[in-house]
Amino acid sequence: MAPPRILLLPLLPLLALLPRAGGELRAFVVAHSHMDVGWVYTVQESMHAYAANVYTTVIEELMKGKQRKFIAVEQEFFRLWWDMVATDTQKQQVHQLLQEGRLEFVIGGQVMHDEAVTLIDDQILQLTEGHGFLYETFGFRPQFSWHVDPFGASATTPTLFALAGFNAHLISRIDYDLKADMQKNKKLQFVWQGSPSLAEKQEIFTHVMDQYSYCTPSQLPFSNRSGFFWNGFATFPDPPKDGVYPNMSLPVTDANLHLYAQTMVANIKERAAWFRTGEVLWPWVQHHDGITGTESPKVKDMYLSNLMYGMLNVKKLMASIIFDINNAKKNGEVYSSVYTKDSGKPGATEVDQYVVVYNPLAWNITTFVTVSVSSEAMSVYDELGYSVPAQVQSSVESQSTYDLYILVEISGLSYRKYSIKPLDGKQSAFIGSSIKYRRRDLTRAGQKSQQLFPVVNNCYQIVFDQNTNLMHSITDRETNQTVQFTQEFLEYHVNGDTKEGPISDNYLFAPNASAVPVSKAVGLEVMSGNLMTEIRQYFYSNVTSQEYIHAVYTRLYSVPEGYDGKLLCHRIEQEYSVGPLELNREAVLRTSTNLNTKQLLYTDNNGYQMQKRPFKAYVNNTVARNYYPMVQTAYIEDDSTRLMLLSERAHGVSSQGNGQVEVMLHRRIWNNLQWDLNNNLTLNDSSVVRPVIWLILGTKALTNTLYRTSGLALEHRPVVMFGALSGEQKQGDADFSRVLLRIRHLYEVGEDPVLSKPVIVDLKSLLKGLGSVMAVEERSLTGIWDVNTLERWKWKTAQYPGKRRHEQEQIPKVEELHRRHESTREATEENQNAILLNGESRGKDDKFSATIVSNGADEQIPQTRAAEKSRMRQGSAIYFDIQNETKYS
C-alpha cells in the first residue's frame, strides 16, 4: 500500500463545499505541528528535548518524496530552530519546500494564541511578529488559520484573521453540547460573519473539527497507546537516542499496516456522516500535547522573567528618548517604577525628585498617578514651576510610607515631567484625614436599625451601613436614580480527591455547591481629602480574628474646576486584596443590586465587541457553565440603568442570580490526579492578588459614552518613571522613518446613535511628534499585504440570498482552487527579492494608496482608501513614511 498522500490545508475547507460525487469519500490527510510555547516545559527545555528535532526530521522526511507535505503552526519554535539549529543546507531545503508548496506556515503567529482571555491588541501584536518574520525571511504571507487548541472560541478571532488577509479559519474547542448539535445537524462548516461594521470584508469560511479534535483517532483498538499521532513526552537532559519517546504510537509495519488502514477507513466513514459533503479532513499531528495559561511553575517563572525583561527595556527605551541616557548612566540614575533608593534616608529630603509620566493613549487624559513617598510634607510642581493638585495619605501597603496622588493632564502619546519637593511652607499636597469605624459582626447586624452615612462627589453618592460596614446603595446624582448595592466575598469549595467525584484543576472549574460567604466581620476606614475619598473595607473570618483575609479599597475622585474630570468623576475605582486562600477554594466578589436583570449578563470579546450571556440551566455543573471571560468589560442592566465593570486583567465573570454579577478573583486548588501531580500542574497558589476594577453606574446612554475610553484608559494606564534631578536633561531626537499605525473605531455600527458614526482622523496632528508625513500606504492588519492587491475569497451564503457584491460568484472548482493557490505562491516568490529591511515589500504590485507631502505649505490629503474623510476604517493598518524634522515632544 502506498503511503498516504498528505495535502496542504488551503485546499481542505473549500473542497468540503463541493458536491458529493457518486457517494465516494475523499480523505485529506493533514500532517501538522502542534507544540505549546510553554506548558509543562519551558521554551528552552522544549527546544532541547524535542521541538528542534521535529523541524530537523520533518525537513529531512519532506525531502525524501514529492508527495509528502506538512503544515507548521507556531513560529516561536521554528524561528529558534532557524536561527540556532538549522544548517545552511537545511535553510536552502526550507526555501525549496516553500516554493514547491510542500511546506506551509498556517496562522504564522508566534503562538496559536488563546482566544478566551486575550486582548485583541496582544493577538494582533503576536500575529504581526510572526508574519513579519515569515515575510522578511521567505516573502511568505499566511492565508489560513489552524486554531485547533486554544481554550474556547471568540467572535473576535475570525474578524481579526479576515483583516489579516486569511481566506479560511479552522477551530476545534467549543462548547461540547454546541459541537454535538452542529455535528448532528451537519453544521460544522459555515461562513462566519463577525462584525456588522465590516460586513463582507470580514467574512471567513470556518471549519469546526468534530469530536475527535486534532488527534485522529483517540485510541487504536489493538493498542493501549495513543493512536494516529506522535505524542512523545520530553526526556531530560537529552532526547532519546533512537528518537522514540515514551507513549508514542506503535510504529507502522507490514504486520500491522492493515490494522491501521482498517481503523483509518472506519474513522473516515464515521466522520463523513457529520458533514454535508464527501470530503473529510483527517488531521495527523506531530505534536507535544498541552494547552496556550495552564503552565507548570517553572514555565510561569519563564513568563514572568520575560515580561519583566520586556517591561524594563521599554522603560529604558522611553528614558533614552526623553532624556540623555548616557548622562543618566554616568550619574548612576535608574529609570524604573520604584522610588529612588535614597528615599527616607537622612539628608534625602534635600534632593528634589522628579516624576515623568507618559500617556500611551492617542487622546488627552486627566487622571491620577500614585507615587510612594516617605513623608506627608510634599509639594508637586509642573515643568513651569506651577503647583499641581495632589493629595498624600497613609499607605495601605506600609506603615512607614505614604501614597501621593498627583493629578496629571497629558496630551495623547506625550509625556510630562513633575517635580516632588519637600514642603516649602507655601504650596503643599493636601493631607488626607482618616476616620476608623469599629469592626462589625455581620451575624448580628440585623438586630439593629440601619445607620447610614454617605460618601459623595459630583457624580455619585455612595452610602454605607455602619451596622455592617458594607456598601448599601449608590445614587447617580445626574438622574437621582438610586440602586441598592452590596458587595461580599464568597468562596466556592471544590473537591481535590479524584475518588470522591469531579475535581477543579487547571482545566476545570467544578464547585461542589453554591458559593458561601467567607467573612463574619468587616472593618472600615475612610480616608477623606479634597481630591479623593478612599473607603477601606477589611473582611475578617470572625469578629476576633487578628488578620483580615480580604480587603476592598474604593476610591471616589473629585476634580477641581478647570480640569476635564468627566471620566474621573464617573469612575468608582476598586482595588482588591485577596488571599492567601485555604486549599481548594475559589474566591469571588459578588455584587448584588435591585436591578431587574433577569440574569442576563454582557461580556466583551477580547476587548473588541460585547456579547449577550443569558443564564442557562444545565443538568451538570450549571454554576461553572455560566461563567464567561471578562477580558475588559462586563455589565448588567435593567430598562433604565446599567452597572458596568471594567478590568485591567482577564477574569471569569457570572450572574448567578437576578441583579447579581460576580467576578472570580483568585484560585488555590490541589488534587491527587496523577497527571497533575506528575507534571506539577496543581494550582497550590498561596499568593495575595491585587486586581483593579472600575465601576460605572448610570443610564445606558451615559455608560455607552464612557466605557470604551475608560476601558482603554484602565488597560493603558500612564507609564511612570522616577529619578533624582541632577544637572541638565537633554531631550533626544526620535529616529523614525517608517511607522505602522493601526486605527480602530471604538464603536460598532448601531451600538450608539452618535458614537458609532464615521469620524475623521487628522493624520498631520496625530503624527506631528514624529515628523512630517511624506507618504501613506494602507496595509492589512499585520502589515504584510497592500490592501489594493489583497483579494480574499468571497462566499455566497444562504443567509443572504438577495443581491450582494459576490452573489453571482460560484464556489470555485478543485482545479480553480489549485490555480489560485499556485498563483498566490508564485506572486509571493516574485516579491521575495524586493523586501526592505523593515519587512515590507516594494514589488511591482505594491502601490501607495495615498501620499501626504509636507513642503511648508498647506498639506493636501486626497480622498483615497487610506485617508477617507467620510469614515475611519476599522481594522486596517497604515504605513507612513516619515521625514523627521521635529523633535519628539
Side-chain angles (χ1 to χ4, degrees):
M1 179 179 178
R5 186 184 182 198
I6 303 175
L7 298 181
L8 282 174
L9 170 66
L11 305 181
L12 298 173
L14 299 175
L15 286 171
L17 292 179
L18 299 177
R20 186 179 304 222
E24 294 181 354
L25 298 180
R26 289 187 295 175
F28 293 85
V29 180
V30 181
H32 65 103
S33 70
H34 181 44
M35 298 178 287
D36 295 298
V37 183
W39 178 49
V40 175
Y41 311 111
T42 66
V43 169
Q44 294 75 18
E45 288 175 332
S46 300
M47 276 295 295
H48 180 73
Y50 62 87
N53 190 51
V54 166
Y55 287 112
T56 297
T57 56
V58 161
I59 300 305
E60 178 184 347
E61 292 300 318
L62 287 175
M63 295 302 295
K64 291 181 179 179
K66 293 287 187 180
Q67 81 283 7
R68 300 184 177 191
K69 300 185 179 183
F70 190 83
I71 59 174
V73 183
E74 303 86 359
Q75 289 308 303
E76 176 68 15
F77 286 125
F78 181 84
R79 287 179 71 169
L80 290 172
W81 177 82
W82 182 263
D83 292 336
M84 302 169 58
V85 178
T87 65
D88 289 341
T89 298
Q90 289 168 331
K91 289 183 177 182
Q92 292 174 2
Q93 291 172 339
V94 169
H95 279 282
Q96 177 185 338
L97 291 168
L98 285 169
Q99 290 172 2
E100 295 175 355
R102 297 198 290 118
L103 173 65
E104 179 162 0
F105 297 103
V106 290
I107 298 182
Q110 287 297 94
V111 298
M112 186 189 300
H113 68 251
D114 180 44
E115 296 191 39
V117 297
T118 46
L119 277 165
I120 185 173
D121 299 13
D122 300 321
Q123 294 181 4
I124 294 171
L125 287 174
Q126 77 88 21
L127 204 63
T128 303
E129 180 77 10
H131 284 195
F133 164 74
L134 290 175
Y135 196 36
E136 279 186 334
T137 310
F138 307 111
F140 184 90
R141 297 183 276 204
Q143 298 181 60
F144 305 93
S145 92
W146 188 258
H147 254 213
V148 299
D149 202 28
F151 274 2
S154 164
T156 295
T157 306
T159 300
L160 185 156
F161 285 163
L163 294 173
F166 286 11
N167 283 310
H169 180 43
L170 182 143
I171 61 176
S172 180
R173 292 184 182 272
I174 62 174
D175 180 86
Y176 41 86
D177 284 343
L178 176 60
K179 177 174 281 194
D181 181 74
M182 296 174 74
Q183 193 167 281
K184 176 183 177 182
N185 295 292
K186 300 184 179 182
K187 294 181 178 180
L188 291 171
Q189 294 172 328
F190 53 89
V191 174
W192 199 326
Q193 297 158 334
S195 169
S197 301
L198 297 167
E200 303 170 331
K201 297 174 185 175
Q202 50 73 44
E203 290 181 343
I204 190 167
F205 179 84
T206 304
H207 175 99
V208 183
M209 285 184 158
D210 55 49
Q211 68 187 41
Y212 288 106
S213 186
Y214 54 85
C215 306
T216 308
S218 58
Q219 193 174 40
L220 288 174
F222 54 91
S223 169
N224 290 327
R225 297 184 181 178
S226 310
F228 281 86
F229 62 101
W230 305 291
N231 181 25
F233 281 96
T235 57
F236 297 102
D238 295 300
K241 291 184 173 60
D242 59 1
V244 178
Y245 291 89
N247 296 325
M248 290 180 68
S249 300
L250 293 176
V252 180
T253 64
D254 290 341
N256 65 19
L257 181 62
H258 66 288
L259 294 175
Y260 269 96
Q262 290 173 0
T263 302
M264 181 176 180
V265 170
N267 184 256
I268 290 171
K269 289 182 177 179
E270 180 184 15
R271 283 180 149 164
W274 303 328
F275 294 88
R276 288 182 289 173
T277 66
E279 285 72 36
V280 179
L281 167 63
W282 211 79
W284 198 331
V285 55
Q286 169 87 19
H287 86 148
H288 177 67
D289 196 5
I291 304 105
T292 344
T294 56
E295 73 280 352
S296 63
K298 60 185 175 183
V299 173
K300 178 190 68 176
D301 293 340
M302 177 194 72
Y303 289 152
L304 179 62
S305 176
N306 290 344
L307 287 171
M308 292 301 294
Y309 177 80
M311 291 169 63
L312 176 61
N313 281 280
V314 166
K315 288 180 179 291
K316 287 182 178 179
L317 174 63
M318 293 180 62
S320 69
I321 295 174
I322 298 172
F323 302 107
D324 182 351
I325 195 66
N326 292 323
N327 287 339
K329 287 181 177 178
K330 290 176 184 177
N331 295 326
E333 298 173 15
V334 178
Y335 303 95
S336 66
S337 59
V338 296
Y339 210 48
T340 58
K341 59 183 178 181
D342 294 325
S343 296
K345 292 185 178 181
T349 55
E350 301 302 321
V351 180
D352 292 349
Q353 308 293 326
Y354 65 79
V355 178
V356 178
V357 186
Y358 173 72
N359 172 20
L361 296 169
W363 54 82
N364 302 347
I365 62 169
T366 302
T367 190
F368 282 94
V369 296
T370 310
V371 179
S372 178
V373 295
S374 59
S375 170
E376 286 184 328
M378 289 291 176
S379 301
V380 183
Y381 301 92
D382 64 16
E383 300 98 323
L384 300 178
Y386 293 112
S387 178
V388 175
Q391 179 173 319
V392 65
Q393 60 192 39
S394 62
S395 173
V396 297
E397 295 287 344
S398 169
Q399 294 181 353
S400 61
T401 61
Y402 298 87
D403 293 331
L404 176 64
Y405 288 83
I406 305 172
L407 183 62
V408 298
E409 283 187 310
I410 312 176
S411 301
L413 302 176
S414 301
Y415 67 89
R416 292 193 67 181
K417 183 170 63 178
Y418 301 87
S419 60
I420 303 173
K421 299 182 178 182
L423 180 63
D424 60 8
K426 296 179 181 179
Q427 302 286 346
S428 65
F430 188 92
I431 300 175
S433 60
S434 170
I435 300 177
K436 292 186 178 180
Y437 293 83
R438 187 165 58 88
R439 189 184 306 182
R440 298 298 183 178
D441 186 348
L442 297 181
T443 63
R444 304 177 60 183
Q447 300 174 10
K448 300 179 180 179
S449 60
Q450 288 183 328
Q451 300 182 49
L452 307 178
F453 72 93
V455 176
V456 181
N457 73 353
N458 289 335
C459 296
Y460 298 115
Q461 174 179 276
I462 304 178
V463 174
F464 287 82
D465 186 348
Q466 291 186 45
N467 287 336
T468 62
N469 286 338
L470 295 176
M471 199 178 295
H472 172 269
S473 63
I474 300 179
T475 299
D476 177 359
R477 297 188 66 188
E478 182 177 341
T479 63
N480 206 32
Q481 178 75 27
T482 298
V483 176
Q484 294 177 13
F485 195 100
T486 59
Q487 292 181 311
E488 59 179 337
F489 287 102
L490 301 98
E491 290 178 351
Y492 288 99
H493 294 189
V494 297
N495 171 43
D497 190 344
T498 57
K499 296 180 180 178
E500 295 185 1
I503 58 170
S504 272
D505 64 4
N506 274 341
Y507 308 94
L508 298 171
F509 169 41
N512 293 334
S514 299
V516 296
V518 295
S519 57
K520 295 182 180 178
V522 179
L524 183 68
E525 179 182 10
V526 178
M527 299 294 304
S528 299
N530 62 346
L531 297 178
M532 180 193 70
T533 301
E534 182 177 73
I535 304 98
R536 302 172 179 177
Q537 295 170 284
Y538 305 98
F539 293 76
Y540 298 86
S541 58
N542 58 67
V543 74
T544 60
S545 298
Q546 295 298 310
E547 301 290 337
Y548 61 85
I549 53 175
H550 305 314
V552 179
Y553 310 104
T554 302
R555 302 178 186 112
L556 202 61
Y557 295 99
S558 298
V559 183
E561 288 189 16
Y563 289 85
D564 181 8
K566 184 176 182 180
L567 292 183
L568 270 174
C569 182
H570 285 93
R571 178 167 95 208
I572 302 173
E573 180 175 297
Q574 290 197 318
E575 181 179 357
Y576 313 104
S577 174
V578 184
L581 304 180
E582 295 183 25
L583 208 56
N584 288 329
R585 300 288 191 268
E586 315 210 28
V588 302
L589 179 78
R590 179 177 291 171
T591 300
S592 300
T593 73
N594 63 339
L595 299 177
N596 184 22
T597 65
K598 301 179 176 62
Q599 284 188 268
L600 178 60
L601 174 70
Y602 294 80
T603 72
D604 69 311
N605 284 319
N606 311 106
Y608 182 61
Q609 297 168 310
M610 299 303 299
Q611 188 162 328
K612 285 184 178 181
R613 308 292 192 181
F615 186 91
K616 297 179 181 178
Y618 296 93
V619 175
N620 297 310
N621 212 5
T622 292
V623 170
R625 296 185 71 183
N626 280 285
Y627 255 85
Y628 298 95
M630 173 181 70
V631 178
Q632 188 182 79
T633 310
Y635 66 82
I636 57 174
E637 64 182 14
D638 61 11
D639 293 337
S640 61
T641 306
R642 176 182 292 167
L643 171 64
M644 185 156 274
L645 285 67
L646 302 173
S647 175
E648 101 288 22
R649 68 183 74 173
H651 294 281
V653 63
S654 183
S655 179
Q656 297 288 327
N658 187 36
Q660 290 183 354
V661 58
E662 66 181 51
V663 182
M664 181 77 72
L665 297 177
H666 202 8
R667 308 176 77 203
R668 185 184 181 188
I669 52 183
W670 182 94
N671 64 77
N672 59 358
L673 182 66
Q674 200 60 45
W675 169 260
D676 287 340
L677 295 178
N678 289 346
N679 296 287
N680 199 12
L681 290 177
T682 59
L683 285 177
N684 191 1
D685 185 351
S686 59
S687 67
V688 177
V689 297
R690 300 293 295 265
V692 173
I693 288 180
W694 292 354
L695 307 177
I696 302 176
L697 181 71
T699 63
K700 296 178 183 180
L702 174 69
T703 55
N704 248 0
T705 64
L706 298 175
Y707 88 97
R708 286 292 189 187
T709 48
S710 294
L712 288 169
L714 177 56
E715 176 191 338
H716 300 288
R717 282 181 282 188
V719 179
V720 181
M721 294 175 286
F722 308 95
L725 290 174
S726 56
E728 293 294 325
Q729 272 70 45
K730 177 185 176 183
Q731 189 168 292
D733 291 340
D735 183 19
F736 296 105
S737 60
R738 194 162 169 82
V739 175
L740 175 62
L741 174 70
R742 292 193 182 91
I743 300 177
R744 172 166 67 95
H745 200 300
L746 296 183
Y747 291 83
E748 285 275 20
V749 167
E751 186 176 356
D752 186 271
V754 176
L755 297 174
S756 293
K757 291 181 178 180
V759 297
I760 297 173
V761 179
D762 185 345
L763 299 178
K764 174 184 176 181
S765 174
L766 185 63
L767 298 171
K768 64 181 180 181
L770 301 182
S772 299
V773 179
M774 304 303 297
V776 181
E777 180 178 299
E778 188 178 6
R779 310 290 292 186
S780 60
L781 194 59
T782 59
I784 59 175
W785 290 97
D786 182 334
V787 296
N788 294 314
T789 63
L790 177 59
E791 295 183 2
R792 294 181 60 248
W793 297 342
K794 303 176 181 67
W795 307 96
K796 179 179 178 180
T797 62
Q799 184 177 357
Y800 296 102
K803 291 184 178 180
R804 291 170 63 88
R805 179 163 60 93
H806 57 270
E807 182 183 17
Q808 301 303 320
E809 299 188 20
Q810 300 299 314
I811 295 172
K813 298 180 180 179
V814 178
E815 295 80 5
E816 175 66 9
L817 297 178
H818 278 285
R819 189 193 66 76
R820 283 191 185 184
H821 186 58
E822 288 300 310
S823 63
T824 301
R825 180 173 59 78
E826 290 168 2
T828 299
E829 294 168 12
E830 190 174 81
N831 281 334
Q832 188 170 334
N833 295 321
I835 297 172
L836 301 178
L837 290 178
N838 59 13
E840 296 313 311
S841 172
R842 288 290 182 88
K844 66 178 184 180
D845 292 331
D846 288 345
K847 302 186 185 339
F848 289 121
S849 53
T851 301
I852 300 177
V853 179
S854 175
N855 57 5
D858 292 338
E859 298 189 1
Q860 303 281 331
I861 303 180
Q863 291 195 23
T864 62
R865 294 181 60 123
E868 290 179 321
K869 289 199 172 184
S870 61
R871 169 177 293 278
M872 183 176 75
R873 298 170 61 90
Q874 283 203 50
S876 61
I878 305 175
Y879 265 107
F880 297 91
D881 283 346
I882 302 295
Q883 178 179 321
N884 187 11
E885 297 175 345
T886 61
K887 293 183 178 180
Y888 185 84
S889 60

